[in-house]
Amino acid sequence: MRSRIAWLVVVSTATVVVAFVIPLCLLVRTLAEDRAMAAADQEARNVALLVAAVPQGRQLADLISGLDDGADPTTSVLTASGRQIGPGPAMRDDPDVIRARAGEAFRVVGPDGGAVLLPVVVGSGTTVVRSTVGAATLRDGVLPAWGGIVALGLALILLAVGVARRLGTRIAEPVREVARTAHRMREGDLEARADLAGPEETRELARALNGLAERTAELLATERATVGDMAHRLRTPVTALRLDAEGVGDPDLAERLQERIGVLQRTIDAIVAEARRPVRTELTARTDVAALVSARVAYWQPLAEDQGRAMQGRVEPGPLWVGVPEDDLRDLIDITIDNVFAHTPEGTPFSVDLVARRGREDPRPRAILRVVDQGPGFPEAWARAGTGGLPGPPRRAGTSGLGLDIADRVSRSVGGRVVRGHRSGGGAVVEVELPLLPEG
């Protein structure tokens, strides 16, 4: 905006300056010509008075030669008898002189200079007085004057540029401040508010943005409260259902009911935990997945050693930035690793790998978290599903599939995905793809 305002002022000022400079330059040239021709006219009139007083003879020649000082104007006389007195081109056959001998006094200005011709009627006929100035005299002082005028015009344009930049800054800076506030809100700072400064239009924009931020915070808080309240309401009937299941006479049926109720209870607990989380401070997050995977592998290593599992962790050196909040990314990593502990026998080896794929052959840069175990693997129906959320019934008795559903939801929120498959030779493979952010 500032540059556009500056350009607008510069173009407007330059147009006005040029509109005045060109006529002013032409006026200066005209004034210089008028000044030179006025001097020639004055000298011609003085000589005409001499011719009228001393119509001929050597005395007239001496008077005219005394006027010649080697500088413009230069005056010469053609007497009635045809004799030329004074320097300059021949006058006898000059068309302008012939015209003057007819009784007309006039001026002539051309590329080579200017001349004033005056006819003087004496007793023996008409004498013509011609006073000439050269082209240099006609342009004397014009170029310096033009230089001064152009310099003044440029100074005015530069002054206009300075004023325009200052004015543009005063107009654009409040808009930039509103934009910075909007970026802070986009990054999750819902407490950010724009200052009501600048022109009325900018203040109105700031008020609208502040109102939008307040409304967004209200809606997020209301939604979080509604989900939390609904989850709490579900706990009461689940507790009652658990008590009723304890009173079932069939031990096998009671055990199955308790197992299903436990799954339901854990699902509700996950919803409650999610509902209790505060509104995120990062709507657009930036987390180093390489550092976090390394930290979580180290966290799970002691449990793997306790269960006799051979755990291998290979993490590509980072940083590898992804647009997932750190808490959500930690949950996603823990879910994929915990999936191995929960659904494979103790002693089952597994590996956790993180690689980055980018380059000409792979135009979409992304980080790939790959967890491979040597356990029983996924059921056939789940292997056919391949990607996305978990379809159909739970994958094993006593589980709901909620963990991988959460991982899939987190990855899809940033344009990634979760891929499930079989390992050659037996075992399950879970791959989580997350788009990489620019490193700048």
Side-chain angles (χ1 to χ4, degrees):
M1 178 183 291
R2 184 174 62 179
S3 61
R4 291 186 178 183
I5 293 175
W7 275 112
L8 177 62
V9 174
V10 168
V11 170
S12 301
T13 305
T15 302
V16 174
V17 168
V18 170
F20 277 96
V21 164
I22 293 177
L24 189 58
C25 290
L26 295 177
L27 177 62
V28 167
R29 186 179 68 178
T30 302
L31 290 176
E33 290 179 356
D34 290 344
R35 180 188 59 196
M37 294 303 294
D41 183 76
Q42 182 63 42
E43 185 164 317
R45 292 182 183 277
N46 292 337
V47 172
L49 293 175
L50 292 176
V51 170
V54 185
Q56 57 185 349
R58 185 171 183 78
Q59 184 179 6
L60 179 61
D62 293 339
L63 292 174
I64 293 175
S65 63
L67 294 175
D68 186 15
D69 56 359
D72 285 338
T74 301
T75 304
S76 57
V77 175
L78 181 64
T79 64
S81 60
R83 177 189 174 196
Q84 180 174 341
I85 301 174
M91 298 177 65
R92 183 185 298 273
D93 298 326
D94 190 336
D96 293 331
V97 175
I98 297 172
R99 176 183 167 189
R101 295 192 73 171
E104 181 182 357
F106 58 91
R107 294 181 178 185
V108 177
V109 177
D112 297 330
V116 176
L117 294 100
L118 294 178
V120 181
V121 179
V122 294
S124 58
T126 301
T127 299
V128 178
V129 178
R130 182 184 67 185
S131 182
T132 61
V133 291
T137 303
L138 289 177
R139 306 290 183 265
D140 186 27
V142 172
L143 292 180
W146 282 3
I149 293 172
V150 172
L152 179 60
L154 293 176
L156 290 175
I157 293 175
L158 293 176
L159 179 62
V161 170
V163 173
R165 290 183 63 85
R166 186 174 182 84
L167 179 62
T169 300
R170 293 185 61 182
I171 295 176
E173 189 57 34
V175 178
R176 287 188 173 183
E177 182 61 31
V178 173
R180 284 192 287 267
T181 303
H183 285 305
R184 289 171 56 194
M185 293 179 183
R186 178 180 60 84
E187 293 170 358
D189 185 6
L190 297 182
E191 299 298 324
R193 296 294 182 270
D195 294 333
L196 301 180
E200 179 58 31
E201 293 79 3
T202 305
R203 292 197 297 270
E204 180 62 26
L205 177 62
R207 282 192 289 267
L209 182 63
N210 292 342
L212 177 62
E214 293 172 1
R215 182 58 177 164
T216 301
E218 291 175 2
L219 292 175
L220 288 174
T222 301
E223 180 184 4
R224 187 69 67 181
T226 301
V227 174
D229 182 63
M230 182 170 56
H232 282 291
R233 289 183 181 182
L234 288 174
R235 280 186 168 180
T236 299
V238 170
T239 303
L241 185 61
R242 183 185 294 277
L243 294 176
D244 291 341
E246 292 176 355
V248 174
D250 187 346
D252 293 336
L253 178 59
E255 182 179 357
R256 289 197 300 272
L257 289 175
Q258 289 292 345
E259 186 176 349
R260 300 295 188 271
I261 294 171
V263 172
L264 179 59
Q265 185 68 59
R266 287 193 294 273
T267 302
I268 294 175
D269 288 342
I271 295 174
V272 172
E274 183 69 16
R276 284 178 173 174
R277 287 179 61 183
V279 177
R280 291 189 180 93
T281 57
E282 293 179 306
L283 298 180
T284 301
R286 186 177 176 85
T287 306
D288 182 7
V289 64
L292 196 55
V293 169
S294 298
R296 300 319 293 170
V297 168
Y299 174 83
W300 287 94
Q301 187 69 47
L303 180 58
E305 294 175 355
D306 289 343
Q307 295 186 3
R309 300 175 184 270
M311 179 180 178
Q312 295 182 350
R314 293 181 291 271
V315 179
E316 182 168 326
L320 300 176
W321 300 104
V322 295
V324 182
E326 184 175 346
D327 291 341
D328 287 349
L329 186 58
R330 183 185 296 108
D331 291 344
L332 185 151
I333 298 170
D334 288 343
I335 286 170
T336 56
I337 297 177
D338 180 63
N339 191 62
V340 177
F341 285 92
H343 306 301
T344 61
E346 292 189 10
T348 302
F350 69 100
S351 63
V352 179
D353 300 330
L354 179 70
V355 296
R357 293 182 182 174
R358 51 177 174 254
R360 293 182 179 178
E361 68 282 355
D362 190 2
R364 187 183 65 169
R366 61 192 188 277
I368 298 180
L369 174 64
R370 194 167 189 264
V371 180
V372 182
D373 66 62
Q374 300 179 21
F378 291 106
E380 188 63 28
W382 284 57
R384 287 197 301 267
T387 64
L390 304 183
R395 71 178 214 169
R396 281 189 175 86
T399 66
S400 64
L402 179 64
L404 289 182
D405 267 339
I406 294 175
D408 183 68
R409 174 175 57 81
V410 171
S411 63
R412 286 182 180 275
S413 68
V414 294
R417 62 175 182 168
V418 174
V419 181
R420 301 182 307 276
H422 287 301
R423 171 183 171 273
S424 60
V429 178
V430 176
E431 285 189 357
V432 180
E433 296 184 4
L434 299 173
L436 289 174
L437 297 177
E439 297 182 0

